[in-house]
C-alpha cells in the first residue's frame, strides 16, 4: 500500500526547514547505508547527531503525531528519528531495499522497518529528475510530490531515486515500526477506518457506525503488537 499524505507541513513550515538546512553541514549519504546500498547511494545527508537534524526531526515527529491520516495508515509503534537528505545535480540512489532493523543511535532501541517514508522539502518545479521510483506488485510508481507532502510505502519494496539533472532535491526520510506488522492487514484497517470516518461524517454515530468501530478496534486488538 502506497499512501500520499498531503500537507504534513505547511508552506511556512517547509520554508522554516529549508532555512535551517541552508546553514547546515552535509555529509556523504553512505553513513547510513547498508553494505549493498552503499555502492549505489550517491547523495548528501545531514549529520545524524547534528543540532539541525535533531531540531527538524523533533519538529516533524510532533507534526506526524497529530496527523490523522498518517496515524491511520501507519499505526506507528516506533519511528526512527527523521533524517534529511539532499541530491544535487548528478546525484542518485540506485535500486535497493532498506535494512530490516535499525538501531536508534544513543537510545538502545531498535526499529523494525515496516514502512518507509519520504517527505518532500523541495517544490517539484525547482528540480528535474529525482523521482522516487517504488516497485510494487502492480509495477513501478513514480513519486514526486509537492513540498510538504509525504509518501508512505512498505519497506519491503525495492526502490530508487532517479538522477537529479537540474537543481537540488531535499527530503526528509525515515522508517516506522507499525503495531500491525503485516502490510495486508494494515491496509485492511486503513480502508475500514476510512469508510467508518466517511460514514460517521455523513450519518453520524448510527448503531451500524458504532458496530463497525467496534469491529475496527477488535481487529486492532487481534493484530497489534505493542
Ligand atoms: Ni531506501
Amino acid at each position: 500500500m502506497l499512501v500520499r499524505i498531503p500537507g504534513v507541513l505547511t508552506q511556512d513550515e517547509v520554508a522554516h526547514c529549508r532555512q535551517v538546512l541552508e546553514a547546515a553541514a552535509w555529509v556523504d549519504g553512505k553513513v547510513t547505508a547498508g553494505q549493498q546500498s552503499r555502492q549505489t547511494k550517491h547523495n548528501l545527508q545531514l549529520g545524524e547527531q547534528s543540532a539541525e537534524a535533531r531540531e527538524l526531526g523533533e519538529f516533524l515527529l510532533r507534526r506526524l503525531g497529530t496527523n490523522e491520516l498518517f496515524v491511520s495508515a501507519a499505526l506507528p509503534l516506533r519511528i526512527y528519528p527523521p533524517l534529511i537528505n539532499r541530491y544535487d545535480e548528478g546525484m542518485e540512489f540506485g535500486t535497493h531495499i532498506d535494512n530490516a532493523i535499525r538501531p536508534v543511535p544513543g537510545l538502545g532501541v531498535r526499529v523494525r522497518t515496516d514502512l518507509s517514508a519520504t517527505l518532500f522539502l523541495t517544490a517539484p518545479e525547482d528540480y528535474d529528475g529525482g523521482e522516487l521510483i517504488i516497485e510494487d506488485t502492480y509495477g513501478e510508481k513514480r513519486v514526486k510530490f509537492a513540498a510538504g507532502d509525504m509518501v508512505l510505502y512498505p519497506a519491503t519494496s525495492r526502490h530508487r531515486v532517479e538522477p537529479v539533472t537540474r537543481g537540488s532535491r531535499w527530503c526528509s526520510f525515515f522508517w516506522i515500526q507499525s503495531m500491525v506488522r503485516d502490510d495486508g492487514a494494515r491496509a485492511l484497517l486503513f480502508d475500514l477506518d476510512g469508510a467508518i470516518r466517511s460514514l460517521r461524517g455523513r450519518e453520524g454515530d448510527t448503531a451500524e457506525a458504532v458496530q463497525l468501530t467496534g469491529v475496527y478496534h477488535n481487529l486492532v486488538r487481534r493484530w497489534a503488537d505493542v
Side-chain angles (χ1 to χ4, degrees), residues 7 10 22 24 36 40 51 57 88 90 95 97 100 161 163 167 181 185 203 210 221:
T10 65
E22 295 283 358
Q36 197 176 50
T40 57
D88 290 343
T95 302
I97 196 142
V161 176
R181 179 183 197 153
E203 319 257 343
V210 172
R221 228 184 303 279

Side-chain angles (χ1 to χ4, degrees), residues 196 199-200 204-217:
I196 293 170
L199 188 66
R200 291 181 68 202
D205 280 323
T206 58
E208 290 80 4
V210 172
Q211 192 177 8
L212 284 170
T213 304
V215 170
Y216 174 83
H217 285 291

Side-chain angles (χ1 to χ4, degrees), residues 13-226:
E13 290 167 342
V14 169
H16 165 70
C17 291
R18 291 186 60 91
Q19 205 172 19
V20 172
L21 292 175
E22 295 283 358
W26 299 84
V27 298
D28 192 319
K30 293 186 200 301
V31 287
T32 57
Q35 232 174 10
Q36 197 176 50
S37 55
R38 189 169 296 141
Q39 294 159 32
T40 57
K41 187 174 188 184
H42 306 285
N43 68 0
L44 299 169
Q45 266 177 222
L46 213 56
E48 221 169 336
Q49 304 296 337
S50 70
E52 292 90 351
R54 281 165 187 246
E55 182 195 329
L56 294 182
E58 281 167 22
F59 175 67
L60 188 52
L61 287 176
R62 280 198 298 276
R63 284 289 168 278
L64 288 170
T66 58
N67 188 300
E68 285 185 1
L69 191 59
F70 168 73
V71 173
S72 176
L75 296 170
L77 177 65
R78 290 181 189 153
I79 304 180
Y80 192 92
L83 300 164
I84 310 275
N85 65 14
R86 164 177 171 171
Y87 293 78
D88 290 343
E89 234 176 85
M91 293 183 182
E92 64 180 307
F93 195 167
T95 302
H96 67 280
I97 196 142
D98 296 341
N99 284 0
I101 308 289
R102 295 228 164 230
V104 180
L107 282 190
V109 292
R110 289 178 289 190
V111 172
R112 186 189 64 228
T113 59
D114 297 324
L115 290 154
S116 297
T118 295
L119 171 74
F120 291 82
L121 294 171
T122 306
E125 58 271 23
D126 290 346
Y127 64 102
D128 291 330
E131 292 87 355
L132 171 63
I133 312 289
I134 301 164
E135 296 179 16
D136 78 6
T137 46
Y138 298 109
E140 287 191 349
K141 298 271 166 50
R142 300 178 75 82
V143 178
K144 189 173 186 175
F145 289 164
D149 287 8
M150 190 172 91
V151 63
L152 201 58
Y153 60 100
T156 49
S157 324
R158 280 185 302 181
H159 55 278
R160 66 180 187 273
V161 176
E162 295 278 69
V164 167
T165 57
R166 177 187 63 91
S168 181
R169 170 203 194 263
W170 298 6
C171 286
S172 175
F173 68 104
F174 55 96
W175 299 274
I176 299 116
Q177 179 172 340
S178 177
M179 290 185 283
V180 177
R181 179 183 197 153
D182 180 69
D183 188 55
R186 203 184 319 108
L188 277 177
L189 289 171
F190 181 56
D191 212 18
L192 180 58
D193 188 38
I196 293 170
R197 277 168 202 272
S198 75
L199 188 66
R200 291 181 68 202
R202 206 173 55 219
E203 319 257 343
D205 280 323
T206 58
E208 290 80 4
V210 172
Q211 192 177 8
L212 284 170
T213 304
V215 170
Y216 174 83
H217 285 291
N218 288 332
L219 286 173
V220 172
R221 228 184 303 279
R222 180 172 283 247
W223 290 336
D225 296 307
V226 293

